[in-house]
Amino acid sequence: MSKTPKRPRDPNQLAKLITDIATGEVEEGEVSATVQRASKAGTVGGPARAKALTPAQRAEIASIAASARWKKSD
């Protein structure tokens, strides 16, 4: 699975990359079939899992997530 390279954070380098892509000197990476399948599975799997859970299970998961989010690191 190959990811597309990150775009540069420096505005000048980003402008150069965009210009190169627009002029055809550099091709923008395409998303592989594996990445597309994984993305689709993620968008389908989450709602399916939520639908399968009972309200009590969802509340418990949400409570655990909230406590992890607000946990103070000392």
Side-chain angles (χ1 to χ4, degrees):
M1 174 171 76
S2 80
K3 288 185 157 186
T4 57
K6 289 186 178 181
R7 293 183 179 254
R9 293 181 66 180
D10 178 50
N12 293 322
Q13 291 177 352
L14 179 59
K16 169 80 166 84
L17 177 64
I18 291 171
T19 304
D20 288 345
I21 291 171
T23 58
E25 293 180 27
V26 174
E27 297 215 6
E28 197 164 17
E30 299 213 3
V31 180
S32 69
T34 305
V35 174
Q36 286 178 342
R37 259 194 325 273
S39 177
K40 184 178 179 186
T43 57
V44 171
R49 178 175 182 246
K51 188 176 179 183
L53 294 172
T54 66
Q57 289 172 321
R58 284 197 311 270
E60 182 182 354
I61 292 168
S63 174
I64 292 169
S67 65
R69 205 170 30 248
W70 290 99
K71 183 179 178 182
K72 296 199 182 241
S73 57
D74 291 322

